[in-house]
Amino acid sequence: MSRTSSTIWLPRSRRSPAIARQRLAALLSSTPDGGRFLDSGLVVTTEFVTNAVLHGTPIGHLIYFAIDVDPTRLRIEVHDARGDRLPALAAPGLDGETGRGLQLVDSLTASWGCSPRRPIGKVVWGEVAR
């Protein structure tokens, strides 16, 4: 792991998005010009980790959070144990209370996606570029 990368195993807990945001903020504050990725990175981190806690991590499993930054982009990855529940963009109505998070991710990232994780689960990733 380089000085521009960080990883952590997170519990299936409501506290995990905050822990991941703190880890992201610490990495970006120690990276030259890393602050330019902070706002978008915090939103993407929150969405990915929250989705992993609520939808992607069965009881007894952990979430793996990995971030990497270089001069051109910030990459955020969240690994969880549910390969059968893939993220999908929704088109919520005006009265809907949920379903907008991945719309935000889509607008804040240069690219994002999901890939299988072996032996189980998936990796949801996004890249913020400025």
Side-chain angles (χ1 to χ4, degrees), residues 39-97:
D39 291 335
S40 295
L42 290 172
V43 173
V44 173
T45 293
T46 300
E47 179 63 16
F48 285 174
V49 176
T50 299
N51 281 350
V53 168
L54 295 177
H55 309 294
T57 307
I59 294 172
H61 290 267
L62 296 172
I63 299 161
Y64 185 73
F65 177 65
I67 45 180
D68 183 76
V69 64
D70 68 30
T72 63
R73 60 99 183 108
L74 165 67
R75 182 174 177 90
I76 300 164
E77 291 185 7
V78 175
H79 303 221
D80 68 46
R82 292 285 307 261
D84 62 325
R85 298 197 68 181
L86 304 179
L89 285 173
L94 295 176
D95 295 333
E97 295 180 12

